[in-house]
Amino acid sequence: MLVTLVALLCNGQICLEKVVTNSDQSSISMMDCQVHAQVGIAEWLQNGPYREWRVESYKCVLGKYIPKGQA
């Protein structure tokens, strides 16, 4: 079962959804995603281009997820 961790990031008035990881990349389960999502997102933000952005929300989704606006 594929699980995708998705974060909603905002910088001022601009917000966008980004796929943080999925179980193909990091072998997370739905339980892992729900329990450890905040830690994973914090590490992802620290090591990527979105350091100045804030996390508005996040979700764990079953299956492949295409962020809104990219479909």
Side-chain angles (χ1 to χ4, degrees), residues 12-31:
Q13 298 295 327
I14 300 170
C15 294
L16 52 99
E17 285 186 327
K18 286 292 182 182
V19 172
V20 176
T21 191
N22 65 42
S23 54
D24 282 344
Q25 299 169 333
S26 61
S27 64
I28 59 171
S29 66
M30 183 58 92
M31 179 68 112

Side-chain angles (χ1 to χ4, degrees), residues 4-53:
T4 305
L5 173 57
V6 181
L8 177 63
L9 305 174
C10 295
N11 189 349
Q13 298 295 327
I14 300 170
C15 294
L16 52 99
E17 285 186 327
K18 286 292 182 182
V19 172
V20 176
T21 191
N22 65 42
S23 54
D24 282 344
Q25 299 169 333
S26 61
S27 64
I28 59 171
S29 66
M30 183 58 92
M31 179 68 112
D32 292 334
C33 186
Q34 293 170 336
V35 172
H36 302 291
Q38 292 176 337
V39 173
I41 292 170
E43 290 174 5
W44 177 78
L45 280 174
Q46 185 177 21
N47 297 319
Y50 298 101
R51 282 182 225 127
E52 303 300 318
W53 293 62

